[in-house]
């Protein structure tokens, strides 16, 4: 059963004949009759100014006024925008505000493929769509309707993507300005930083606003994440066309860039100039590595499993083996993560951290002890030979608990499954 019903009148063309308006009235009455009792959201999508034909010329006709439609239109929410991208994005916001996911789209046959192409770009697999043909009497001149178009060409798809990108670029930043946290340990031959949650366009409360990861389980589409990334690239000064994120598996696998890319990995290393690599984080630690002598860098994603598996030292060892780096030259910076104040594990899992060092665990005798993954990471790095002075994990905003600071950071522990993602990133300047 559809929770939301969208009626596509974006391509509507009216003429001055009375029966045209009667046909529209009849069509909307039928939709309202069949769906009003069950749907939580009834919506009409139309262009800001609907085309109105008279004596072979086009004029403008506002949908909301006259023609006997006023009373019926009160049963619908009307979204009227100058572009398809703006209309559908606005409708998505209204659907998300109501936390709906099952949507019926009533659309003219000749626009179905176009509508599906826009929806593919602006929605994720969280949503379930069904499509129904908009039945109209063509004698009334409502739609300049032709046969159903089943294929969107590559050129048409690029035009759709360009329209969406242009619209998203016009949106204001939410929750404040874009903020990048940097470390004085990393010299200026590198571009690096750690993002916070401010300055992006994501509007879902737990993803707002600078979410940098899209998945089939979240409501933020790739187009929105790409716009956030574009803004980050402009602010930091890197090329987003050469941007690579880890493919998290909570393990210690490392992709040495230039070799075959694994299916999943929690670390990346590179010595290629102008390539930006990034580790995701939303309680897990995004770690950045830099060797200014050999001009190589790396990133790693360290959750509790990856920490115990040694993903941080696995990244260091990859840099040593591949680029000839020396332990004393490698600088390691730990990005924001969940602190021991908020992160617990069952006692059997906490035991491995206690065995690593008792200081990594608080209330060890409780059923769910508190775990310090940052302390564990430092201990493992120091045991592996990284100089203590070359590890930064406690300065500036880097040591703030992500769960305790909802104004600054995303957190899986705090926000649940639909959490946002911040990143740590680094590249070697060209």
């Amino acid at each position: 059963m559809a929770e939301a019903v969208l009626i596509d009148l974006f391509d509507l063309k009216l003429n001055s004949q009375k029966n045209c308006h009667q046909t529209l009235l009849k069509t909307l009455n039928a939709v309202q009759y069949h769906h009003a009792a069950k749907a939580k959201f009834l919506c009409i999508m139309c262009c800001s100014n609907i085309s109105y034909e008279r004596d072979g010329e086009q004029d403008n006709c506002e949908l909301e006024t006259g023609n006997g439609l006023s009373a019926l239109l009160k049963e619908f929410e009307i979204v009227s925008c100058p572009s398809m991208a703006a209309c559908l994005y606005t409708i998505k916001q209204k659907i998300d505000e109501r936390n709906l996911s099952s949507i019926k789209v009533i659309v003219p046959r000749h626009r179905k493929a176009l509508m599906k192409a826009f929806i593919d770009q602006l929605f994720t697999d969280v949503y379930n769509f069904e499509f129904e043909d908009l039945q109209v009497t063509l004698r009334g001149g409502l739609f300049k309707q032709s046969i159903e178009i089943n294929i969107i060409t590559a050129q048409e798809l690029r035009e759709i993507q360009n329209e969406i990108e242009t619209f998203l670029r016009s949106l204001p930043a939410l929750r404040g300005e874009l903020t990048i946290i940097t470390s004085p340990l990393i010299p200026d031959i590198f571009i690096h930083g750690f993002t916070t949650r401010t300055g992006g366009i994501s509007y879902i409360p737990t993803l707002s606003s600078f979410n940098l990861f899209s998945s089939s389980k979240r409501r933020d589409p790739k187009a929105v994440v790409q716009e956030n990334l574009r803004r980050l690239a402009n602010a930091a000064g890197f090329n987003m066309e050469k941007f690579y994120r880890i493919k998290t598996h909570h393990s210690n696998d490392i992709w040495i860039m230039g070799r075959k890319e694994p299916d999943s990995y929690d670390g990346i290393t590179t010595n290629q100039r102008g390539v930006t690599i990034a580790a995701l984080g939303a309680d897990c630690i995004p770690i950045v590595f830099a060797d200014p002598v050999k001009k190589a860098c790396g990133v790693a994603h360290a959750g509790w499993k990856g920490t115990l598996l040694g993903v941080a030292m696995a990244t260091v060892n990859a840099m040593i083996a591949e680029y000839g780096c020396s332990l004393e030259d490698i600088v390691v910076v730990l990005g924001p993560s969940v602190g021991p104040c908020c992160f617990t594990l069952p006692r059997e899992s906490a035991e491995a951290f206690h065995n690593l060092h008792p200081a990594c665990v608080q209330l060890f005798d409780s059923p769910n002890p508190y775990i310090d993954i940052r302390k564990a990471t430092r201990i493992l790095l120091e045991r592996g030979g990284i100089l203590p002075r070359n590890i930064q994990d406690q300065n500036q905003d880097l040591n703030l608990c992500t769960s305790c600071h909802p104004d600054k950071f995303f957190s899986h522990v705090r926000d649940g499954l639909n959490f946002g993602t911040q990143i740590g990133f680094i590249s070697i300047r060209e």
Side-chain angles (χ1 to χ4, degrees), residues 165-172 227 230-231:
E165 289 170 7
T166 299
F167 170 71
L168 295 178
R169 288 186 183 193
S170 72
L171 296 178
E227 173 56 21
R230 186 194 68 82
R231 297 184 185 203

Side-chain angles (χ1 to χ4, degrees), residues 96-108:
D96 289 334
E97 286 170 3
R98 295 163 172 83
N99 198 32
L100 307 179
S101 58
S102 178
I103 305 156
K104 172 170 280 191
V105 181
I106 303 174
V107 55

Side-chain angles (χ1 to χ4, degrees), residues 19 22 37 61 78 81-82 88 94 121 133 144 153 156 187 195 198 221 303 335 349 355 360 380 389 393-394 417 423:
N19 66 343
Q22 290 175 340
C61 176
I78 299 171
C81 300
L88 282 171
K94 294 176 181 295
Q121 298 292 316
D133 290 344
K144 298 298 183 184
T153 67
E156 288 170 331
T195 62
T198 62
S349 299
N355 292 339
C360 297
L380 289 168
R389 68 173 182 269
D393 59 351
Q394 295 296 326
L417 291 177
I423 65 169

Side-chain angles (χ1 to χ4, degrees), residues 375-389:
K375 188 179 293 293
T377 299
R378 172 178 273 276
I379 289 169
L380 289 168
L381 286 167
E382 290 182 4
R383 288 181 183 177
I386 298 295
L387 299 178
R389 68 173 182 269

Side-chain angles (χ1 to χ4, degrees), residues 219-286:
R219 290 177 176 257
D220 242 5
K222 288 182 180 179
V224 167
V225 171
Q226 282 298 103
E227 173 56 21
N228 286 340
L229 178 61
R230 186 194 68 82
R231 297 184 185 203
L232 174 62
N234 285 349
F238 64 77
N239 181 359
M240 69 175 290
E241 302 301 324
K242 298 180 180 179
F243 178 86
Y244 299 87
R245 299 178 184 87
I246 59 167
K247 295 181 179 178
T248 303
H249 192 58
H250 296 279
S251 67
N252 60 359
D253 296 322
I254 310 299
W255 177 32
I256 298 172
M257 191 168 284
R259 296 188 181 182
K260 183 180 179 181
E261 182 181 1
D263 292 334
S264 62
Y265 45 91
D266 284 80
I268 311 175
T269 65
T270 188
N271 64 351
Q272 299 177 29
R273 293 179 179 272
V275 172
T276 302
I277 53 179
L280 312 178
D283 294 331
C284 299
I285 315 171

Side-chain angles (χ1 to χ4, degrees), residues 20 29 43 52 227 299 329:
C20 176
N29 256 322
C43 177
Y52 178 87
E227 173 56 21
V299 293
D329 296 327

Side-chain angles (χ1 to χ4, degrees), residues 45-66:
M45 182 180 86
C46 59
C47 191
S48 294
N49 291 310
I50 298 169
S51 178
Y52 178 87
E53 293 188 349
R54 180 171 52 198
D55 299 328
E57 297 181 355
Q58 290 196 346
D59 224 329
N60 290 327
C61 176
E62 294 293 338
L63 181 63
E64 295 93 340
T65 60

